[in-house]
Amino acid sequence: MNKFALTFVIILITGLAISGQKPAATDADEKAVRERFEDLIRGIENSSVDGVTDVYWKSENTLYFNNNGTVTRGWEQDRKNREARYPKASKVKLEINDLRVTMLGSTGALVTCLWKQSQDFDSQAEAATGRMTLVFKKFGKDWKIIHLHTSPDRPDPSRIAPSERERIEDSKQ
């Protein structure tokens, strides 16, 4: 490499470091995120504590905004919650629609979808539908979920501020 080309590369790398820009994601990165998402879905359908928790970042900083309105802080607590629930679940079916993956550079991704889940829990049939957002971060070569936010697609109107109710009704049209 000649002196001019080397100087240009150094300036380019320095500029990226100073600006905070990260290298662009590759198709392989997006494929890996999609595969990890599929691992999550399989783990849920199999009521596999290990299958699900392996997809998440094993950190006290992992944050879960749950479908029931609660917040779980930390991987260990999420694992304990799943260990208590999963043995009671069977015949789990999870349908994913409108799956979107947005790469945030080469080390971050945002995954959104709509979901419909049915299962037997304590031998009682139940079903729910909702929306989900997952934030993935790349650690070395592995993609992990660092944040989950899931919510029902038809929340109880009594829990919604009056100023927001009109928008929900508008979106049904």
Side-chain angles (χ1 to χ4, degrees), residues 47-58:
S47 298
S48 170
V49 173
D50 290 337
V52 172
T53 58
D54 181 58
V55 181
Y56 284 89
W57 181 34
K58 192 174 183 178

Side-chain angles (χ1 to χ4, degrees), residues 11 52 72 81 83 90 106 122 124 127 153 156 167:
I11 290 170
V52 172
T72 302
N81 294 348
E83 287 172 339
S90 62
S106 62
D122 274 342
Q124 298 293 316
D153 61 357
D156 179 352
R167 285 191 206 149

Side-chain angles (χ1 to χ4, degrees), residues 118-138:
S118 62
Q119 65 186 16
D120 287 352
F121 191 82
D122 274 342
S123 302
Q124 298 293 316
E126 60 182 23
T129 58
R131 305 173 181 99
M132 181 167 38
T133 301
L134 298 162
V135 179
F136 281 81
K137 183 176 178 180
K138 192 173 188 181

Side-chain angles (χ1 to χ4, degrees), residues 22-133:
K22 297 197 188 252
T26 65
D27 289 341
D29 288 323
E30 182 175 339
K31 181 180 179 196
V33 169
R34 287 178 179 274
E35 287 172 357
R36 292 303 279 165
F37 177 78
E38 289 300 322
D39 291 342
L40 174 69
I41 301 308
R42 270 192 305 278
I44 293 169
E45 288 183 325
N46 292 321
S47 298
S48 170
V49 173
D50 290 337
V52 172
T53 58
D54 181 58
V55 181
Y56 284 89
W57 181 34
K58 192 174 183 178
S59 169
E60 64 187 30
N61 294 317
T62 304
L63 184 61
Y64 309 76
F65 292 159
N66 303 307
N67 192 54
N68 64 5
T70 62
V71 176
T72 302
R73 289 178 171 82
W75 182 90
E76 290 287 342
Q77 185 60 55
D78 178 59
R79 183 169 179 89
K80 289 176 188 174
N81 294 348
R82 292 180 195 278
E83 287 172 339
R85 277 193 330 264
Y86 280 15
K88 300 175 184 179
S90 62
K91 300 179 188 173
V92 181
K93 303 256 187 280
L94 187 55
E95 180 182 320
I96 301 298
N97 291 299
D98 199 20
L99 177 65
R100 297 173 189 222
V101 176
T102 303
M103 297 305 298
L104 307 171
S106 62
T107 60
L110 184 69
V111 176
T112 60
C113 67
L114 304 175
W115 56 267
K116 180 179 180 179
Q117 184 170 334
S118 62
Q119 65 186 16
D120 287 352
F121 191 82
D122 274 342
S123 302
Q124 298 293 316
E126 60 182 23
T129 58
R131 305 173 181 99
M132 181 167 38
T133 301

